[in-house]
Amino acid sequence: MEAKSERAPIKKNSGTLKVTTPSDREVAMTRVFDASRRLVFKAWTTPELMKRWLYGPDEWRLAVCEFDMRVGGKVRFEWRNPEGKSMGLSGVCREAVAPERLVFTEVWDEDWTGGETLVTMVFAEDAGKTTVTQTVLYSSQAARDGALKTGMEHGAAMSYDRLAELLTSMA
Amino acid sequence: MLETLQALAEPSRFQIVELLRGGPRPVGDMVEKLGLRQPQVSKHLRVLSEAGLVDVRVDAQRRIYGLRAAPLRELEQWIERYRRIWEGNFQRLDAVLEELKTKEKKGGSKKRKSAD
């Protein structure tokens, strides 16, 4: 739909995903986006927009997306694959300050995170760019590490940033 | 793979692996660095060795442990798959944001109520 000469409008340098483990029970993921936080917040909280980018592994696509941004509001995400299988999570909105901050609980239908997790998202804007920090707090360290083992939980699967460092140093 | 994760999930063992990043070390040296007792360190090294994460070489009467890269490579490939999911998601989000920015520019300061 766009002119061919307009290729690659996405700046590679704004896109480094950083994963850290701020404490024994947390995994934090940071990413910078080249847009105002008002737009980033919008893209992150509007179901029609979220469905366009928040995919699961392989062919899994976001099919159900409910995000009631009121304290106590319902959160429901469901991904489906071409075979018609689904995996989902439910939660409750704890805090929503547009376009700065979102706090909500999450629990997967097949509870592979060892209980509910608390997700805190912070949107910080600086010079037209927005840094999004998504921190997932697990019920215990065992739960966090357990989530890593089952491998389905998004943040936890990448929590071993120190391992990546380790691998680099061994190469 | 699960064995690798289980071996690494224990904090002292993770520390041992991190210590061995710098190169092979004798047991006595690790005991000193970790502030653990020798039997504990030996026990952890046994688990790491069973998981294939370390190997041992005997030099005179000293046992020297070193890291084996294979199980860590396997783990890295596995983690990489999940990292790619998010990288992919965020690249798509970048594109959505570009579109929103363009739309706003075109729409000027006109405010439009959308049905969300």
Side-chain angles (χ1 to χ4, degrees), chain A residues 10 17 29 31 33-34 38-40 43-44 46 52-55 57-58 148-149 151 154 157-158 162-163 165-167 169-170, chain B residues 2 5-6 14 17-18 21 67 69 72 75-76 78-79 81-83 85-86 89-90 92-94 96-97 99 101 104 116:
Chain A
I10 299 156
L17 172 63
M29 198 159 68
R31 173 64 147 77
F33 296 94
D34 190 14
R38 192 175 51 76
L39 286 186
V40 178
W44 213 296
T46 309
R52 289 177 50 193
W53 64 269
L54 192 57
Y55 293 2
D58 305 321
L148 174 71
K149 275 183 215 161
H154 47 255
M158 302 182 293
R162 286 161 80 210
L163 177 70
E165 212 180 280
L166 169 82
L167 286 156
S169 73
M170 282 180 70
Chain B
L2 197 57
L5 288 169
Q6 270 156 355
F14 194 86
V17 171
E18 292 225 303
R21 273 165 74 167
L67 281 185
L72 294 168
L75 187 58
E76 184 193 33
W78 180 79
I79 290 173
R81 206 180 139 229
Y82 292 93
R83 184 180 286 275
I85 294 171
W86 278 101
N89 280 348
F90 290 157
R92 279 187 295 275
L93 177 53
D94 283 331
V96 168
L97 290 168
E99 195 188 297
K101 283 200 286 190
E104 285 214 335
D116 44 87

Short mmCIF file of all heavy atoms in Angstrom, two decimals, chain A residues 10 17 29 31 33-34 38-40 43-44 46 52-55 57-58 148-149 151 154 157-158 162-163 165-167 169-170, chain B residues 2 5-6 14 17-18 21 67 69 72 75-76 78-79 81-83 85-86 89-90 92-94 96-97 99 101 104 116:
data_model
loop_
_atom_site.label_atom_id
_atom_site.label_comp_id
_atom_site.label_asym_id
_atom_site.label_seq_id
_atom_site.Cartn_x
_atom_site.Cartn_y
_atom_site.Cartn_z
N ILE A 10 10.93 1.69 9.81
CA ILE A 10 11.19 1.31 11.19
C ILE A 10 12.68 1.44 11.49
O ILE A 10 13.51 0.84 10.81
CB ILE A 10 10.74 -0.14 11.45
CG1 ILE A 10 9.24 -0.25 11.19
CG2 ILE A 10 11.08 -0.58 12.85
CD1 ILE A 10 8.79 -1.65 10.84
N LEU A 17 15.30 -5.05 22.50
CA LEU A 17 14.55 -5.63 23.60
C LEU A 17 15.53 -6.01 24.72
O LEU A 17 16.51 -6.69 24.48
CB LEU A 17 13.83 -6.87 23.09
CG LEU A 17 13.11 -7.76 24.09
CD1 LEU A 17 12.00 -6.98 24.76
CD2 LEU A 17 12.55 -8.97 23.37
N MET A 29 10.93 -6.47 31.12
CA MET A 29 11.24 -6.39 29.71
C MET A 29 11.13 -4.93 29.30
O MET A 29 10.13 -4.28 29.62
CB MET A 29 10.21 -7.23 28.98
CG MET A 29 10.58 -7.61 27.60
SD MET A 29 9.61 -9.05 27.07
CE MET A 29 8.01 -8.33 26.96
N ARG A 31 11.58 -1.96 26.15
CA ARG A 31 11.69 -1.74 24.71
C ARG A 31 11.38 -0.26 24.44
O ARG A 31 10.48 0.31 25.05
CB ARG A 31 10.71 -2.66 24.01
CG ARG A 31 10.53 -2.48 22.50
CD ARG A 31 11.77 -2.78 21.69
NE ARG A 31 11.50 -3.37 20.38
CZ ARG A 31 11.07 -2.70 19.32
NH1 ARG A 31 10.83 -1.41 19.40
NH2 ARG A 31 10.87 -3.31 18.17
N PHE A 33 10.13 2.63 21.77
CA PHE A 33 9.35 2.79 20.54
C PHE A 33 9.44 4.23 20.05
O PHE A 33 9.44 5.16 20.86
CB PHE A 33 7.89 2.42 20.80
CG PHE A 33 7.71 0.98 21.17
CD1 PHE A 33 7.69 0.59 22.50
CD2 PHE A 33 7.61 0.02 20.18
CE1 PHE A 33 7.56 -0.75 22.84
CE2 PHE A 33 7.47 -1.32 20.51
CZ PHE A 33 7.44 -1.70 21.84
N ASP A 34 9.47 4.36 18.74
CA ASP A 34 9.64 5.67 18.14
C ASP A 34 8.27 6.33 17.93
O ASP A 34 7.82 6.51 16.80
CB ASP A 34 10.39 5.51 16.80
CG ASP A 34 10.80 6.86 16.24
OD1 ASP A 34 10.76 7.85 16.99
OD2 ASP A 34 11.15 6.92 15.05
N ARG A 38 1.38 8.48 24.20
CA ARG A 38 -0.06 8.46 23.98
C ARG A 38 -0.41 7.41 22.92
O ARG A 38 -1.33 6.63 23.08
CB ARG A 38 -0.52 9.85 23.54
CG ARG A 38 -2.02 10.08 23.55
CD ARG A 38 -2.35 11.52 23.22
NE ARG A 38 -1.68 11.97 21.99
CZ ARG A 38 -2.09 11.63 20.77
NH1 ARG A 38 -3.15 10.88 20.60
NH2 ARG A 38 -1.41 12.05 19.71
N LEU A 39 0.38 7.39 21.84
CA LEU A 39 0.14 6.41 20.78
C LEU A 39 0.53 5.00 21.21
O LEU A 39 -0.16 4.04 20.90
CB LEU A 39 0.90 6.81 19.51
CG LEU A 39 0.34 7.99 18.72
CD1 LEU A 39 1.12 8.16 17.42
CD2 LEU A 39 -1.15 7.81 18.41
N VAL A 40 1.66 4.90 21.91
CA VAL A 40 2.11 3.58 22.34
C VAL A 40 1.07 2.98 23.30
O VAL A 40 0.68 1.82 23.17
CB VAL A 40 3.50 3.64 23.02
CG1 VAL A 40 3.92 2.26 23.52
CG2 VAL A 40 4.55 4.17 22.04
N ALA A 43 -1.89 1.82 21.28
CA ALA A 43 -1.64 0.58 20.55
C ALA A 43 -1.60 -0.62 21.49
O ALA A 43 -1.85 -1.75 21.10
CB ALA A 43 -0.34 0.68 19.77
N TRP A 44 -1.29 -0.33 22.77
CA TRP A 44 -1.12 -1.40 23.73
C TRP A 44 -2.42 -1.73 24.48
O TRP A 44 -2.51 -2.71 25.18
CB TRP A 44 -0.03 -1.03 24.74
CG TRP A 44 0.74 -2.21 25.22
CD1 TRP A 44 0.25 -3.26 25.96
CD2 TRP A 44 2.12 -2.49 25.02
NE1 TRP A 44 1.24 -4.16 26.21
CE2 TRP A 44 2.39 -3.72 25.65
CE3 TRP A 44 3.16 -1.81 24.37
CZ2 TRP A 44 3.66 -4.30 25.64
CZ3 TRP A 44 4.41 -2.40 24.38
CH2 TRP A 44 4.66 -3.62 25.01
N THR A 46 -5.78 -0.95 22.95
CA THR A 46 -6.97 -1.00 22.09
C THR A 46 -7.05 -2.38 21.44
O THR A 46 -6.17 -2.73 20.65
CB THR A 46 -6.88 0.09 21.00
OG1 THR A 46 -6.60 1.34 21.63
CG2 THR A 46 -8.17 0.18 20.21
N ARG A 52 -3.42 -6.95 16.07
CA ARG A 52 -2.56 -6.85 14.90
C ARG A 52 -1.09 -7.14 15.20
O ARG A 52 -0.29 -7.34 14.28
CB ARG A 52 -2.69 -5.46 14.27
CG ARG A 52 -4.04 -5.28 13.60
CD ARG A 52 -4.21 -3.91 13.04
NE ARG A 52 -3.06 -3.51 12.22
CZ ARG A 52 -2.87 -2.26 11.83
NH1 ARG A 52 -3.72 -1.31 12.16
NH2 ARG A 52 -1.82 -1.96 11.10
N TRP A 53 -0.73 -7.10 16.46
CA TRP A 53 0.69 -7.34 16.73
C TRP A 53 0.99 -8.33 17.87
O TRP A 53 2.06 -8.93 17.89
CB TRP A 53 1.41 -6.01 17.00
CG TRP A 53 0.95 -5.27 18.23
CD1 TRP A 53 -0.04 -4.33 18.30
CD2 TRP A 53 1.46 -5.40 19.56
NE1 TRP A 53 -0.19 -3.88 19.58
CE2 TRP A 53 0.72 -4.52 20.38
CE3 TRP A 53 2.47 -6.19 20.14
CZ2 TRP A 53 0.96 -4.39 21.75
CZ3 TRP A 53 2.70 -6.06 21.50
CH2 TRP A 53 1.95 -5.17 22.29
N LEU A 54 0.08 -8.50 18.79
CA LEU A 54 0.38 -9.34 19.96
C LEU A 54 0.13 -10.82 19.66
O LEU A 54 -0.87 -11.38 20.07
CB LEU A 54 -0.47 -8.86 21.15
CG LEU A 54 -0.14 -9.40 22.54
CD1 LEU A 54 1.30 -9.13 22.93
CD2 LEU A 54 -1.06 -8.81 23.59
N TYR A 55 1.05 -11.43 18.92
CA TYR A 55 0.90 -12.83 18.52
C TYR A 55 1.49 -13.76 19.58
O TYR A 55 2.27 -13.35 20.44
CB TYR A 55 1.64 -13.10 17.20
CG TYR A 55 1.07 -12.41 15.98
CD1 TYR A 55 -0.02 -11.55 16.06
CD2 TYR A 55 1.64 -12.65 14.73
CE1 TYR A 55 -0.52 -10.94 14.91
CE2 TYR A 55 1.14 -12.04 13.59
CZ TYR A 55 0.07 -11.17 13.69
OH TYR A 55 -0.40 -10.58 12.56
N PRO A 57 3.34 -17.88 19.87
CA PRO A 57 4.35 -18.58 19.06
C PRO A 57 3.76 -19.07 17.74
O PRO A 57 2.55 -19.31 17.63
CB PRO A 57 4.77 -19.75 19.95
CG PRO A 57 3.74 -19.87 21.00
CD PRO A 57 3.05 -18.56 21.12
N ASP A 58 4.63 -19.25 16.76
CA ASP A 58 4.25 -19.81 15.46
C ASP A 58 2.96 -19.21 14.91
O ASP A 58 2.89 -18.04 14.68
CB ASP A 58 4.17 -21.33 15.54
CG ASP A 58 5.47 -21.92 16.07
OD1 ASP A 58 6.53 -21.40 15.69
OD2 ASP A 58 5.42 -22.85 16.88
N LEU A 148 9.62 -20.60 33.61
CA LEU A 148 10.69 -20.73 32.63
C LEU A 148 10.75 -22.16 32.10
O LEU A 148 10.91 -22.40 30.92
CB LEU A 148 12.03 -20.36 33.27
CG LEU A 148 13.27 -20.59 32.39
CD1 LEU A 148 13.32 -19.58 31.27
CD2 LEU A 148 14.53 -20.53 33.21
N LYS A 149 10.57 -23.12 33.00
CA LYS A 149 10.64 -24.52 32.60
C LYS A 149 9.53 -24.90 31.64
O LYS A 149 9.75 -25.60 30.68
CB LYS A 149 10.59 -25.43 33.84
CG LYS A 149 11.95 -25.62 34.47
CD LYS A 149 11.84 -26.57 35.63
CE LYS A 149 12.80 -26.16 36.72
NZ LYS A 149 12.45 -26.72 38.00
N GLY A 151 8.02 -22.96 29.81
CA GLY A 151 8.38 -22.27 28.58
C GLY A 151 7.26 -21.51 27.88
O GLY A 151 7.47 -20.95 26.84
N HIS A 154 5.53 -15.64 28.63
CA HIS A 154 6.36 -14.76 27.79
C HIS A 154 7.62 -14.24 28.46
O HIS A 154 8.72 -14.46 27.99
CB HIS A 154 5.53 -13.61 27.24
CG HIS A 154 4.68 -12.93 28.26
ND1 HIS A 154 3.31 -13.12 28.33
CD2 HIS A 154 4.97 -12.10 29.27
CE1 HIS A 154 2.83 -12.40 29.32
NE2 HIS A 154 3.82 -11.77 29.91
N ALA A 157 10.29 -16.92 29.95
CA ALA A 157 11.06 -17.70 28.98
C ALA A 157 12.34 -16.98 28.60
O ALA A 157 13.27 -17.59 28.11
CB ALA A 157 10.23 -17.99 27.75
N MET A 158 12.37 -15.70 28.86
CA MET A 158 13.55 -14.95 28.49
C MET A 158 14.28 -14.41 29.72
O MET A 158 15.10 -13.54 29.61
CB MET A 158 13.14 -13.80 27.58
CG MET A 158 12.43 -14.29 26.35
SD MET A 158 12.00 -12.94 25.28
CE MET A 158 10.81 -12.10 26.29
N ARG A 162 21.17 -13.39 32.16
CA ARG A 162 22.54 -13.65 32.58
C ARG A 162 23.08 -14.88 31.87
O ARG A 162 24.28 -15.01 31.62
CB ARG A 162 22.62 -13.83 34.08
CG ARG A 162 22.46 -12.50 34.81
CD ARG A 162 22.09 -12.71 36.23
NE ARG A 162 23.23 -13.04 37.06
CZ ARG A 162 23.12 -13.80 38.14
NH1 ARG A 162 21.98 -14.33 38.48
NH2 ARG A 162 24.16 -14.04 38.88
N LEU A 163 22.20 -15.76 31.54
CA LEU A 163 22.61 -16.95 30.80
C LEU A 163 23.09 -16.56 29.40
O LEU A 163 24.10 -17.06 28.92
CB LEU A 163 21.45 -17.93 30.69
CG LEU A 163 21.74 -19.19 29.87
CD1 LEU A 163 22.72 -20.09 30.59
CD2 LEU A 163 20.46 -19.92 29.56
N GLU A 165 24.38 -13.82 28.60
CA GLU A 165 25.69 -13.19 28.82
C GLU A 165 26.75 -14.30 28.93
O GLU A 165 27.82 -14.22 28.36
CB GLU A 165 25.59 -12.46 30.13
CG GLU A 165 26.41 -11.22 30.26
CD GLU A 165 26.16 -10.64 31.64
OE1 GLU A 165 25.13 -9.96 31.83
OE2 GLU A 165 26.97 -10.92 32.55
N LEU A 166 26.37 -15.30 29.67
CA LEU A 166 27.25 -16.44 29.90
C LEU A 166 27.61 -17.11 28.58
O LEU A 166 28.76 -17.43 28.31
CB LEU A 166 26.50 -17.41 30.82
CG LEU A 166 27.06 -18.81 31.03
CD1 LEU A 166 28.13 -18.72 32.09
CD2 LEU A 166 25.97 -19.73 31.51
N LEU A 167 26.60 -17.29 27.74
CA LEU A 167 26.83 -17.95 26.46
C LEU A 167 27.73 -17.12 25.58
O LEU A 167 28.59 -17.63 24.89
CB LEU A 167 25.49 -18.19 25.77
CG LEU A 167 24.68 -19.33 26.41
CD1 LEU A 167 23.22 -19.17 26.11
CD2 LEU A 167 25.20 -20.67 25.95
N SER A 169 30.02 -15.12 26.57
CA SER A 169 31.40 -15.17 27.05
C SER A 169 32.05 -16.52 26.75
O SER A 169 33.25 -16.64 26.77
CB SER A 169 31.44 -14.87 28.55
OG SER A 169 30.93 -15.96 29.28
N MET A 170 31.22 -17.52 26.50
CA MET A 170 31.78 -18.83 26.21
C MET A 170 32.08 -19.05 24.73
O MET A 170 32.76 -19.99 24.36
CB MET A 170 30.79 -19.93 26.62
CG MET A 170 30.78 -20.17 28.10
SD MET A 170 29.59 -21.45 28.45
CE MET A 170 30.41 -22.86 27.74
N LEU B 2 15.39 -30.08 30.19
CA LEU B 2 14.79 -29.87 31.49
C LEU B 2 15.85 -30.09 32.57
O LEU B 2 15.90 -29.39 33.57
CB LEU B 2 13.62 -30.85 31.67
CG LEU B 2 12.65 -30.49 32.78
CD1 LEU B 2 12.08 -29.11 32.57
CD2 LEU B 2 11.52 -31.51 32.83
N LEU B 5 17.92 -27.02 32.92
CA LEU B 5 17.21 -25.97 33.66
C LEU B 5 17.15 -26.29 35.14
O LEU B 5 17.36 -25.41 35.98
CB LEU B 5 15.78 -25.82 33.12
CG LEU B 5 15.66 -25.17 31.75
CD1 LEU B 5 14.26 -25.33 31.22
CD2 LEU B 5 16.03 -23.70 31.84
N GLN B 6 16.89 -27.54 35.44
CA GLN B 6 16.83 -27.92 36.85
C GLN B 6 18.18 -27.73 37.53
O GLN B 6 18.26 -27.28 38.65
CB GLN B 6 16.34 -29.36 37.00
CG GLN B 6 14.83 -29.41 37.12
CD GLN B 6 14.22 -30.74 36.69
OE1 GLN B 6 14.92 -31.63 36.22
NE2 GLN B 6 12.93 -30.86 36.86
N PHE B 14 24.05 -22.16 39.97
CA PHE B 14 24.11 -21.08 38.98
C PHE B 14 25.41 -20.28 39.19
O PHE B 14 26.11 -19.92 38.24
CB PHE B 14 22.88 -20.18 39.11
CG PHE B 14 22.68 -19.26 37.94
CD1 PHE B 14 22.00 -19.69 36.81
CD2 PHE B 14 23.20 -17.96 37.95
CE1 PHE B 14 21.83 -18.86 35.71
CE2 PHE B 14 23.03 -17.13 36.86
CZ PHE B 14 22.34 -17.57 35.74
N VAL B 17 28.39 -22.13 37.86
CA VAL B 17 28.47 -22.01 36.40
C VAL B 17 29.01 -20.63 36.01
O VAL B 17 29.87 -20.50 35.14
CB VAL B 17 27.08 -22.28 35.76
CG1 VAL B 17 27.08 -21.93 34.28
CG2 VAL B 17 26.70 -23.75 35.93
N GLU B 18 28.52 -19.60 36.73
CA GLU B 18 29.02 -18.26 36.43
C GLU B 18 30.52 -18.12 36.73
O GLU B 18 31.25 -17.47 36.00
CB GLU B 18 28.23 -17.22 37.23
CG GLU B 18 26.78 -17.13 36.77
CD GLU B 18 26.32 -15.70 36.63
OE1 GLU B 18 26.41 -14.97 37.63
OE2 GLU B 18 25.89 -15.32 35.54
N ARG B 21 32.71 -19.50 34.06
CA ARG B 21 32.79 -18.71 32.83
C ARG B 21 34.20 -18.27 32.55
O ARG B 21 34.63 -18.17 31.41
CB ARG B 21 31.95 -17.44 32.97
CG ARG B 21 30.55 -17.58 32.62
CD ARG B 21 29.81 -16.42 33.15
NE ARG B 21 30.06 -15.20 32.37
CZ ARG B 21 29.32 -14.11 32.49
NH1 ARG B 21 28.33 -14.09 33.34
NH2 ARG B 21 29.57 -13.06 31.77
N LEU B 67 33.40 -25.77 32.08
CA LEU B 67 32.05 -25.77 31.48
C LEU B 67 32.03 -26.52 30.15
O LEU B 67 32.99 -26.48 29.39
CB LEU B 67 31.59 -24.34 31.20
CG LEU B 67 31.06 -23.51 32.35
CD1 LEU B 67 30.56 -22.19 31.79
CD2 LEU B 67 29.96 -24.22 33.11
N ALA B 69 29.90 -26.56 26.67
CA ALA B 69 29.03 -25.61 25.97
C ALA B 69 27.74 -26.23 25.42
O ALA B 69 26.71 -25.56 25.34
CB ALA B 69 29.79 -24.93 24.84
N LEU B 72 24.24 -25.72 27.07
CA LEU B 72 23.91 -24.29 27.12
C LEU B 72 23.51 -23.77 25.75
O LEU B 72 22.63 -22.93 25.61
CB LEU B 72 25.08 -23.49 27.68
CG LEU B 72 25.42 -23.76 29.15
CD1 LEU B 72 26.76 -23.14 29.52
CD2 LEU B 72 24.34 -23.22 30.06
N LEU B 75 20.00 -24.81 25.18
CA LEU B 75 19.11 -23.94 25.95
C LEU B 75 18.96 -22.58 25.28
O LEU B 75 17.87 -22.01 25.21
CB LEU B 75 19.68 -23.79 27.37
CG LEU B 75 18.84 -23.06 28.40
CD1 LEU B 75 17.49 -23.74 28.57
CD2 LEU B 75 19.56 -23.04 29.74
N GLU B 76 20.07 -22.09 24.77
CA GLU B 76 20.04 -20.79 24.11
C GLU B 76 19.11 -20.80 22.90
O GLU B 76 18.32 -19.88 22.69
CB GLU B 76 21.45 -20.40 23.66
CG GLU B 76 21.50 -19.01 23.06
CD GLU B 76 22.79 -18.72 22.33
OE1 GLU B 76 23.36 -19.68 21.75
OE2 GLU B 76 23.23 -17.57 22.31
N TRP B 78 16.60 -22.66 22.44
CA TRP B 78 15.23 -22.76 22.93
C TRP B 78 14.72 -21.39 23.40
O TRP B 78 13.61 -20.98 23.09
CB TRP B 78 15.21 -23.79 24.06
CG TRP B 78 13.90 -24.02 24.69
CD1 TRP B 78 12.88 -24.79 24.19
CD2 TRP B 78 13.44 -23.50 25.93
NE1 TRP B 78 11.83 -24.78 25.06
CE2 TRP B 78 12.14 -24.00 26.13
CE3 TRP B 78 14.01 -22.66 26.89
CZ2 TRP B 78 11.40 -23.68 27.25
CZ3 TRP B 78 13.28 -22.35 28.01
CH2 TRP B 78 11.98 -22.85 28.18
N ILE B 79 15.56 -20.68 24.15
CA ILE B 79 15.18 -19.35 24.63
C ILE B 79 15.00 -18.39 23.46
O ILE B 79 14.09 -17.57 23.44
CB ILE B 79 16.25 -18.81 25.63
CG1 ILE B 79 16.18 -19.61 26.93
CG2 ILE B 79 16.05 -17.32 25.91
CD1 ILE B 79 17.28 -19.29 27.91
N ARG B 81 13.86 -18.83 20.65
CA ARG B 81 12.55 -18.98 20.03
C ARG B 81 11.54 -18.03 20.68
O ARG B 81 10.73 -17.41 20.02
CB ARG B 81 12.10 -20.43 20.23
CG ARG B 81 11.15 -20.86 19.18
CD ARG B 81 10.71 -22.29 19.38
NE ARG B 81 9.29 -22.35 19.10
CZ ARG B 81 8.40 -22.91 19.87
NH1 ARG B 81 8.76 -23.48 20.99
NH2 ARG B 81 7.14 -22.90 19.54
N TYR B 82 11.63 -17.93 22.00
CA TYR B 82 10.70 -17.06 22.72
C TYR B 82 11.06 -15.60 22.56
O TYR B 82 10.20 -14.73 22.48
CB TYR B 82 10.60 -17.49 24.19
CG TYR B 82 9.94 -18.83 24.26
CD1 TYR B 82 10.68 -19.99 24.25
CD2 TYR B 82 8.55 -18.92 24.20
CE1 TYR B 82 10.06 -21.23 24.23
CE2 TYR B 82 7.93 -20.15 24.16
CZ TYR B 82 8.69 -21.30 24.19
OH TYR B 82 8.07 -22.51 24.14
N ARG B 83 12.35 -15.36 22.50
CA ARG B 83 12.77 -13.97 22.28
C ARG B 83 12.25 -13.50 20.92
O ARG B 83 11.78 -12.38 20.78
CB ARG B 83 14.29 -13.87 22.36
CG ARG B 83 14.80 -12.45 22.23
CD ARG B 83 16.30 -12.38 22.31
NE ARG B 83 16.80 -12.60 23.66
CZ ARG B 83 16.90 -11.65 24.57
NH1 ARG B 83 16.52 -10.43 24.30
NH2 ARG B 83 17.37 -11.92 25.77
N ILE B 85 9.59 -14.39 19.41
CA ILE B 85 8.15 -14.09 19.47
C ILE B 85 7.96 -12.62 19.82
O ILE B 85 7.23 -11.89 19.16
CB ILE B 85 7.43 -14.97 20.52
CG1 ILE B 85 7.48 -16.43 20.10
CG2 ILE B 85 5.97 -14.50 20.69
CD1 ILE B 85 6.99 -17.39 21.16
N TRP B 86 8.67 -12.18 20.86
CA TRP B 86 8.51 -10.78 21.28
C TRP B 86 9.14 -9.80 20.31
O TRP B 86 8.60 -8.74 20.07
CB TRP B 86 9.02 -10.57 22.70
CG TRP B 86 7.96 -11.00 23.67
CD1 TRP B 86 7.90 -12.16 24.36
CD2 TRP B 86 6.76 -10.26 24.01
NE1 TRP B 86 6.75 -12.20 25.11
CE2 TRP B 86 6.03 -11.06 24.91
CE3 TRP B 86 6.24 -9.03 23.62
CZ2 TRP B 86 4.81 -10.66 25.45
CZ3 TRP B 86 5.03 -8.63 24.15
CH2 TRP B 86 4.32 -9.43 25.04
N ASN B 89 6.61 -9.49 17.69
CA ASN B 89 5.49 -8.68 18.17
C ASN B 89 5.84 -7.20 18.14
O ASN B 89 5.06 -6.37 17.68
CB ASN B 89 5.12 -9.07 19.61
CG ASN B 89 4.28 -10.34 19.66
OD1 ASN B 89 3.78 -10.82 18.65
ND2 ASN B 89 4.13 -10.90 20.83
N PHE B 90 7.00 -6.87 18.64
CA PHE B 90 7.37 -5.47 18.74
C PHE B 90 7.65 -4.84 17.38
O PHE B 90 7.43 -3.66 17.18
CB PHE B 90 8.54 -5.27 19.71
CG PHE B 90 8.14 -5.53 21.14
CD1 PHE B 90 9.08 -5.88 22.10
CD2 PHE B 90 6.81 -5.42 21.54
CE1 PHE B 90 8.71 -6.11 23.42
CE2 PHE B 90 6.43 -5.66 22.85
CZ PHE B 90 7.38 -6.00 23.80
N ARG B 92 6.00 -5.67 14.72
CA ARG B 92 4.66 -5.39 14.20
C ARG B 92 4.07 -4.16 14.88
O ARG B 92 3.41 -3.34 14.26
CB ARG B 92 3.75 -6.59 14.40
CG ARG B 92 3.93 -7.66 13.34
CD ARG B 92 2.88 -8.75 13.49
NE ARG B 92 3.04 -9.47 14.74
CZ ARG B 92 3.86 -10.49 14.91
NH1 ARG B 92 4.57 -10.94 13.90
NH2 ARG B 92 3.97 -11.08 16.07
N LEU B 93 4.34 -4.04 16.20
CA LEU B 93 3.86 -2.86 16.93
C LEU B 93 4.49 -1.58 16.37
O LEU B 93 3.81 -0.56 16.22
CB LEU B 93 4.15 -3.02 18.43
CG LEU B 93 3.78 -1.86 19.36
CD1 LEU B 93 2.35 -1.41 19.19
CD2 LEU B 93 4.02 -2.25 20.81
N ASP B 94 5.78 -1.65 16.03
CA ASP B 94 6.44 -0.50 15.40
C ASP B 94 5.67 -0.06 14.16
O ASP B 94 5.43 1.14 13.95
CB ASP B 94 7.88 -0.86 14.97
CG ASP B 94 8.86 -0.91 16.13
OD1 ASP B 94 8.65 -0.18 17.12
OD2 ASP B 94 9.85 -1.66 16.05
N VAL B 96 2.49 -0.65 13.44
CA VAL B 96 1.19 -0.10 13.84
C VAL B 96 1.36 1.35 14.28
O VAL B 96 0.58 2.23 13.91
CB VAL B 96 0.55 -0.95 14.97
CG1 VAL B 96 -0.65 -0.24 15.58
CG2 VAL B 96 0.13 -2.32 14.45
N LEU B 97 2.42 1.61 15.03
CA LEU B 97 2.66 2.98 15.51
C LEU B 97 2.95 3.93 14.36
O LEU B 97 2.47 5.08 14.37
CB LEU B 97 3.81 2.98 16.52
CG LEU B 97 3.49 2.32 17.88
CD1 LEU B 97 4.76 2.10 18.68
CD2 LEU B 97 2.51 3.16 18.69
N GLU B 99 1.83 3.72 11.45
CA GLU B 99 0.54 3.96 10.80
C GLU B 99 -0.29 4.97 11.60
O GLU B 99 -0.89 5.87 11.04
CB GLU B 99 -0.18 2.61 10.71
CG GLU B 99 -1.35 2.61 9.78
CD GLU B 99 -2.11 1.30 9.91
OE1 GLU B 99 -1.52 0.24 9.60
OE2 GLU B 99 -3.27 1.33 10.34
N LYS B 101 0.83 7.26 13.56
CA LYS B 101 1.45 8.59 13.43
C LYS B 101 1.05 9.24 12.11
O LYS B 101 0.73 10.42 12.06
CB LYS B 101 2.98 8.47 13.50
CG LYS B 101 3.48 8.27 14.92
CD LYS B 101 4.95 8.62 15.07
CE LYS B 101 5.85 7.58 14.47
NZ LYS B 101 7.27 7.77 14.81
N GLU B 104 -2.52 10.43 12.16
CA GLU B 104 -2.69 11.66 12.93
C GLU B 104 -2.24 12.88 12.16
O GLU B 104 -2.89 13.92 12.20
CB GLU B 104 -1.89 11.57 14.24
CG GLU B 104 -2.57 10.67 15.24
CD GLU B 104 -2.37 11.15 16.65
OE1 GLU B 104 -1.36 11.84 16.91
OE2 GLU B 104 -3.21 10.82 17.50
N ASP B 116 -13.89 2.68 20.04
CA ASP B 116 -13.24 1.66 20.86
C ASP B 116 -13.60 1.85 22.29
O ASP B 116 -14.18 1.14 22.96
CB ASP B 116 -11.71 1.68 20.75
CG ASP B 116 -11.13 3.06 20.81
OD1 ASP B 116 -10.88 3.56 21.91
OD2 ASP B 116 -10.90 3.66 19.74
#
